[in-house]
Amino acid sequence: MSDTPYPIDLDSIRGAFPPGIEAPPLLLDFAGWLNGRPWGSVGCFSLQGQFSDQAPIFDGSPLRDRFALFMRLPDGSAVGGWYGAGLDRDDPPIVGLGSEGDYELLAPSLDALLSKLTSQQFDKAWHDLLPDDEVECHTVALAEWLAGRPVAEKPAPEEASSEVPDFRGFVEKWSRDREDFWANHRMMAELGWRLAAHLPKGKNAWDKTRFEVAIVGTQYQARVLTRGPQPFEEAASIESLLRELREEMWRAQRELGLWSAMSFGLYADGRVMPNFDYNTRPTIDGEPALLAEAKADLARAPRPERWVPKWLT
């Protein structure tokens, strides 16, 4: 493991920041300092950007402009800036979205997060931010590098506040609200009714039947995940409903564009809980979705440049 350098993807990091906000020089400089060092020497992570769509938070797509997730942990957790209402957009607090439901404000700023890496001040839930015991530790070198950087002068806020933002409360409320939103959504109710033949046979509240959908331009495919993706009888009859949903979501948040893939779980009580993918080029009938169809979607529903996936440029 000591011969493996840190994975670093500056393009994805820059693209993960909300439109109009650039990746801070400190983060880019840290990536340069980290480049080539052995993975695990200051923590077990990769410096790679991702959107809230893929982060461990329910229905995260609408939150793209509230996060800049620049660090990934081996268990699927994500770390990055939180651009919540009323927070400093020039130097936001750094939060962790844990794969096991741990949502925590890790540091009040990026500089403070890097300082915590040097002092190894992370609890058990965030142990991947600690150095790997089997790799030579570079936290002292990181501390020396940070100490040698010029101190940027920041204007004093008009009103100083010692109140710590309640990040866990924000995520929990978001999840509850979105679950209620979809549980009471007209189209989800109709989708559950149309797919009633596929209700899970289990008795547990968490039992569900999983489906995958791809829509790119005029192309469409829906599969039920039963011993792998399988066609199902009702697929054609729900296409118009899913296309209507896609259009409705675009009208509600136009900067996201049109999603290309959707997965959802059908629960025993008929609830449908969806997840949407705006970035992946889906496979339809065994082949990647046609680029011309995807570009037609993009022309009709344009996005900020940094939110256009590479395969579509």
Side-chain angles (χ1 to χ4, degrees):
M1 183 65 73
S2 60
D3 294 331
T4 303
Y6 277 96
I8 298 172
D9 184 346
L10 290 179
D11 286 342
S12 70
I13 290 172
R14 291 188 177 99
F17 280 77
I21 298 177
E22 301 304 319
L26 175 58
L27 178 58
L28 300 179
D29 291 348
F30 173 60
W33 178 88
L34 195 65
N35 188 36
R37 293 180 185 269
W39 185 88
S41 56
V42 295
C44 303
F45 56 82
S46 61
L47 280 186
Q48 294 176 304
Q50 65 177 312
F51 297 125
S52 54
D53 312 30
Q54 287 83 40
I57 182 172
F58 177 67
D59 194 19
S61 303
L63 294 174
R64 271 198 185 191
D65 60 355
R66 300 199 204 177
F67 289 102
L69 302 173
F70 54 76
M71 186 181 286
R72 303 185 193 183
L73 307 187
D75 65 355
S77 300
V79 173
W82 176 32
Y83 294 89
L87 299 178
D88 187 347
R89 296 184 72 80
D90 293 324
D91 194 16
I94 305 301
V95 297
L97 293 162
S99 60
E100 299 297 323
D102 296 298
Y103 303 113
E104 186 174 332
L105 195 151
L106 297 173
S109 65
L110 175 60
D111 185 71
L113 176 75
L114 299 184
S115 295
K116 285 185 70 173
L117 288 177
T118 68
S119 56
Q120 305 176 32
Q121 298 177 19
F122 296 100
D123 59 25
K124 184 177 180 180
W126 298 96
H127 64 89
D128 282 328
L129 293 173
L130 300 173
D132 189 321
D133 292 337
E134 299 182 2
V135 178
E136 181 184 356
C137 184
H138 287 200
T139 56
V140 172
L142 175 58
E144 292 172 347
W145 177 76
L146 289 171
R149 286 181 55 82
V151 178
E153 292 188 8
K154 296 178 62 178
E158 294 182 6
E159 293 185 11
S161 173
S162 59
E163 183 178 349
V164 177
D166 182 10
F167 180 61
R168 172 177 285 278
F170 165 78
V171 174
E172 290 177 347
K173 183 179 186 304
W174 171 265
S175 298
R176 287 194 307 270
D177 289 350
R178 295 307 288 180
E179 287 177 5
D180 288 345
F181 174 81
W182 290 116
N184 295 288
H185 194 283
R186 173 185 63 83
M187 294 186 204
M188 293 299 101
E190 183 174 347
L191 188 60
W193 172 75
R194 288 177 178 268
L195 298 176
H198 299 274
L199 289 170
K201 295 179 173 60
K203 302 298 183 183
N204 297 312
W206 56 84
D207 289 332
K208 61 184 175 181
T209 305
R210 295 171 56 222
F211 295 81
E212 290 181 347
V213 174
I215 299 179
V216 179
T218 61
Q219 293 185 287
Y220 165 76
Q221 177 177 280
R223 295 288 186 264
V224 61
L225 301 185
T226 306
R227 295 183 296 277
Q230 304 291 336
F232 59 98
E233 182 180 352
E234 301 88 350
S237 68
I238 63 173
E239 178 179 357
S240 61
L241 180 66
L242 293 170
R243 287 187 177 276
E244 182 184 354
L245 171 67
R246 190 172 181 246
E247 295 292 320
E248 178 187 272
M249 293 177 64
W250 171 51
R251 290 192 295 270
Q253 198 166 354
R254 287 183 176 268
E255 66 272 17
L256 282 176
L258 294 161
W259 51 262
S260 57
M262 168 192 181
S263 60
F264 62 90
L266 173 64
Y267 290 82
D269 60 3
R271 286 180 304 124
V272 172
M273 290 291 129
N275 185 63
F276 303 95
D277 187 341
Y278 291 78
N279 246 38
T280 302
R281 185 178 187 178
T283 298
I284 298 178
D285 295 328
E287 299 290 339
L290 295 176
L291 195 57
E293 295 286 351
K295 288 189 173 182
D297 275 347
L298 181 62
R300 185 166 68 88
R303 315 179 189 184
E305 182 178 354
R306 66 180 58 179
W307 285 1
V308 178
K310 286 185 177 180
W311 65 269
L312 196 44
T313 58

